[in-house]
């Protein structure tokens, strides 16, 4: 399954929760890019510009999809701009992997991104003003809406969103995930799953 959506949609948090619940491997495309490039996303933007980042993103996605076997139990979170690039959308379509669009109001997405920047120091090169954030969201929405289905995330916890995705795709919980969605509260990310995004 591939999770798409704008910055702040919860692709990584929901992807991780889904991975544990289903017993599937979770992967974040941005992390693969950083490993391959030996640089952080914001450093790639700074040193090679957005076009350099998009090239690295495309190469990483191609590599990742080539590793997917039919029926592979994997969840992949794409960065907010990945699916918007035509050549990437084509690759995803050819791989026949179900796509899920995680969405929220643009005000809510902005609030989450600002909060992550302030509290966790998350650096997003495209997080500048609210006006350009909104323009980018509006321009990208038609691309995201080509996903198999759209999952609303506003006002929901990570666990609720993950259960709704599981139900919508008709998937079953693995033996490994049988403690339920994030009930153990072992670490901060798990505790967050009981909170709204
Ligand atoms: C981007 C979103 C980021 C990251 C890069 C570009 C975008 O990922 O890939 O900064 O174009 O929206 P997140 O959606 O995980 O923030």
């Amino acid at each position: 399954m591939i999770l798409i959506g704008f910055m702040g949609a919860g692709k990584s948090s929901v992807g991780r929760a889904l991975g544990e619940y289903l017993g599937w491997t979770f992967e974040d495309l941005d992390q693969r890019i950083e490993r391959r490039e030996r640089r952080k996303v914001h450093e790639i933007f700074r040193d090679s510009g957005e076009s350099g980042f998009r090239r690295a993103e495309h190469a990483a996605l191609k590599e990742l999809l080539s590793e997917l076997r039919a029926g592979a139990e994997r969840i992949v979170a794409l960065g907010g701009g990945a699916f918007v690039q035509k050549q990437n959308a084509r690759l995803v379509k050819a791989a026949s992997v179900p796509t899920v669009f995680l969405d929220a109001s643009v005000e809510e997405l902005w609030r989450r991104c600002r909060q992550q920047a302030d509290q966790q120091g998350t650096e997003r090169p495209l997080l500048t003003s609210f006006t350009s954030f909104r323009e980018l969201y509006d321009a990208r929405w038609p691309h995201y809406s080509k996903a198999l289905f759209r999952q609303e995330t506003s006002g929901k916890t990570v666990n609720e969103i993950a259960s709704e995705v599981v139900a919508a795709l008709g998937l079953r919980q693995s033996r490994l995930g049988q403690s339920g969605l994030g009930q153990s509260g072992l670490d901060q990310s798990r505790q967050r799953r009981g909170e709204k995004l």
Side-chain angles (χ1 to χ4, degrees), residues 18-197:
L18 280 166
E20 270 186 33
Y21 183 79
L22 295 166
W24 293 14
T25 310
F26 168 71
E27 177 164 354
D28 193 313
L29 183 66
D30 279 343
Q31 282 178 3
R32 180 179 287 243
I33 298 169
E34 292 183 342
R35 263 200 321 275
R36 284 169 51 98
E37 295 289 309
R38 297 202 182 89
R39 286 182 291 169
K40 293 280 176 201
V41 166
H42 69 91
E43 293 168 337
I44 308 175
F45 267 80
R46 187 194 58 205
D47 303 339
S48 315
E50 183 170 351
S51 57
F53 174 75
R54 295 300 166 205
R55 276 195 297 278
E57 183 177 58
H58 180 66
L61 179 66
K62 207 165 173 180
E63 179 185 79
L64 191 158
L65 291 174
S66 74
E67 291 169 11
L68 285 187
R69 293 166 287 104
E73 297 181 332
R74 206 161 336 168
I75 297 156
V76 179
L78 302 191
F83 193 70
V84 174
Q85 312 293 314
K86 261 200 201 108
Q87 65 274 31
N88 294 341
R90 243 185 266 129
L91 280 180
V92 170
K93 196 170 175 208
S96 306
V97 183
T99 42
V100 176
F101 168 24
L102 299 184
D103 199 15
S105 69
V106 69
E107 290 80 10
E108 172 67 18
L109 294 167
W110 173 258
R111 187 196 60 75
R112 292 178 192 163
C113 287
R114 292 298 333 158
Q115 192 176 35
Q116 286 164 14
D118 295 344
Q119 293 179 1
Q120 294 150 44
T122 308
E123 298 198 43
R124 287 186 164 98
L126 297 178
L127 191 70
T128 51
S129 68
F130 178 66
T131 308
S132 55
F133 190 80
R134 181 200 287 278
E135 278 168 12
L136 197 56
Y137 173 80
D138 289 343
R140 286 177 173 181
W141 203 93
H143 297 272
Y144 298 142
S145 69
K146 291 185 186 132
L148 182 65
F149 80 95
R150 175 181 167 277
Q151 170 66 47
E152 181 56 56
T153 66
S154 293
K156 293 180 185 172
T157 66
V158 173
N159 294 349
E160 283 165 351
I161 301 160
S163 343
E164 288 179 19
V165 171
V166 166
L169 291 177
L171 295 166
R172 265 188 290 136
Q173 186 183 15
S174 83
R175 263 195 318 119
L176 288 172
Q178 268 171 13
S179 57
L181 275 162
Q183 282 167 4
S184 48
L186 286 179
D187 59 33
Q188 221 193 355
S189 64
R190 283 189 186 178
Q191 280 167 11
R192 275 187 50 77
R193 287 177 198 160
E195 294 167 13
K196 290 191 176 127
L197 262 172

